[in-house]
Amino acid sequence: MQVQIVEVGPRDGLQNETQTVPTEAKIRLIGLLAEAGLRRIEAGSFVHPRWIPQLADTADVFRQLPRSPAVTYSALVPNLRGLERARECGVTEVAVFMSASETHNRKNINKSISETFPVLREVAREALALGMRVRGYVSTVFGCPYEGAVPLDNSRRVTDELLAMGVYEVSIGDTIGVATPRQVQETFAVLVNDVTSERLAGHFHDTRGTGLANVAAALAEGIRTFDSSIGGLGGCPYAPGATGNISSEDLVYMLHGMGYETGVDLQKLIEAGSYIQRQLGRPLPSKVLAASLAQAETCAKKEAEGDTA
């Protein structure tokens, strides 16, 4: 059984870093992710650099990416100006975003939920007219850092509105990592009944250590597409306390162990994680990455000891 992985590390992961990764390193990372077999990679964001300075070079990244018909490189766009910048760089898929929580939406977008709909509707209409595909994100579905619990009806309304705009898939986000498997299963049971599992994806953060368990719960409800971030990079600038997305390495390891196919070479994915970890100069949260690097170090020491024996 196949599961699709949407790699969001180059965008959702790097946007939360205090340091800015050089353009050439981002391009190298994205290349390594593609070599590992990932076919959907969110490579950047056309949000104004004033708000996300770490991704100010997104246009340069897209212009220099090695193109392949097998790989879709997408970008986040907030408005028509962002869409125009994406079009100029040859982007073929864009993502629009909003929250299920009113307060988080205002903090993140500076608009109410109702005020956001017409903006995104315009973006989607224009993108579709240009022949682009449009994906949607709904943040804070399982909890908001400002309001706490978020009514499921909020998420249903936003999801329905996005799909009505022509969005082909809606990613349901646990932005601050508060969800538990039971909550995930109950939420997706309702949403799947509303719109079918094929048009939904799961986007989980591992703030409280339940990220992979939540993936398993979503799988039980028929969800077969998940967002993840290389090394477990990520967070949200407008969600205090939120830590990284679920790690791509950990997700692939678990899915393969459960008998799912992803098309991803885990060893090559670990190499990509190791690369960006070296670039950032600090250990990343991925448990599979840490275990693999530790194992490799142990093997190297044993070989060195054998050579000197």
Side-chain angles (χ1 to χ4, degrees):
M1 199 177 306
Q2 191 76 25
V3 171
Q4 288 192 67
I5 295 175
V6 181
E7 172 59 55
V8 298
R11 194 278 300 176
D12 201 9
L14 295 182
Q15 76 174 13
N16 209 50
E17 289 296 308
T18 54
Q19 62 179 292
T20 299
V21 174
T23 303
E24 58 271 21
K26 292 176 182 175
I27 294 167
R28 176 59 178 151
L29 171 64
I30 294 167
L32 289 170
L33 294 168
E35 288 173 19
L38 288 157
R39 294 295 173 253
R40 298 174 65 183
I41 302 173
E42 196 172 60
S45 165
F46 289 97
V47 172
H48 196 286
R50 180 171 68 251
W51 304 116
I52 309 290
Q54 299 89 335
L55 301 181
D57 61 347
T58 290
D60 292 332
V61 169
F62 268 94
R63 290 192 181 101
Q64 297 177 60
L65 279 177
R67 302 292 172 158
S68 166
V71 182
T72 297
Y73 300 114
S74 62
L76 203 71
V77 298
N79 49 36
L80 286 176
R81 176 58 188 142
L83 178 65
E84 175 60 21
R85 292 175 62 210
R87 184 196 66 78
E88 291 169 355
C89 300
V91 177
T92 59
E93 178 174 320
V94 296
V96 295
F97 57 98
M98 62 182 301
S99 303
S101 151
E102 192 71 54
T103 306
H104 186 265
N105 203 73
R106 287 186 180 277
K107 295 279 187 181
N108 199 25
I109 302 177
N110 202 29
K111 289 180 174 61
S112 70
I113 289 175
S114 295
E115 290 168 341
T116 304
F117 286 142
V119 176
L120 299 191
R121 196 173 293 119
E122 196 174 24
V123 171
R125 184 187 306 118
E126 183 64 20
L128 292 169
L130 291 169
M132 297 180 180
R133 299 185 84 202
V134 185
R135 191 175 194 245
Y137 285 104
V138 184
S139 302
T140 63
V141 170
F142 302 94
C144 169
Y146 308 102
E147 297 179 12
V150 178
L152 179 53
D153 281 347
N154 289 27
S155 302
R156 296 174 75 179
R157 176 193 174 208
V158 173
T159 298
D160 288 345
E161 288 279 354
L162 288 172
L163 291 171
M165 295 174 194
V167 166
Y168 76 89
E169 179 179 87
V170 177
S171 178
I172 303 299
D174 181 21
T175 310
I176 57 173
V178 294
T180 59
R182 180 175 177 178
Q183 184 186 15
V184 168
Q185 202 156 0
E186 290 173 348
T187 298
F188 274 109
V190 172
L191 295 177
V192 166
N193 186 62
D194 287 347
V195 302
T196 77
S197 60
E198 290 78 12
R199 304 196 70 182
L200 298 171
H203 182 109
F204 299 108
H205 287 238
D206 202 35
T207 311
R208 291 163 178 80
T210 58
L212 291 181
N214 290 334
V215 169
L219 284 167
E221 293 303 319
I223 304 304
R224 295 294 181 266
T225 302
F226 296 94
D227 302 346
S228 64
S229 177
I230 189 69
L233 286 167
C236 176
Y238 301 99
T243 55
N245 300 61
I246 54 172
S247 150
S248 299
E249 301 94 318
D250 297 355
L251 177 62
V252 169
Y253 177 85
M254 185 186 81
L255 289 172
H256 288 181
M258 294 173 71
Y260 291 97
E261 297 177 2
T262 65
V264 177
D265 183 318
L266 180 57
Q267 186 53 47
K268 288 185 177 180
L269 192 62
I270 290 167
E271 292 170 11
S274 177
Y275 172 79
I276 193 60
Q277 178 168 280
R278 292 195 304 273
Q279 290 295 313
L280 295 171
R282 64 177 177 83
L284 296 181
S286 169
K287 294 176 175 60
V288 168
L289 176 63
S292 299
L293 294 179
Q295 185 178 27
E297 185 179 354
T298 299
C299 291
K301 285 181 179 178
K302 287 182 178 179
E303 287 181 8
E305 290 169 357
D307 290 342
T308 57

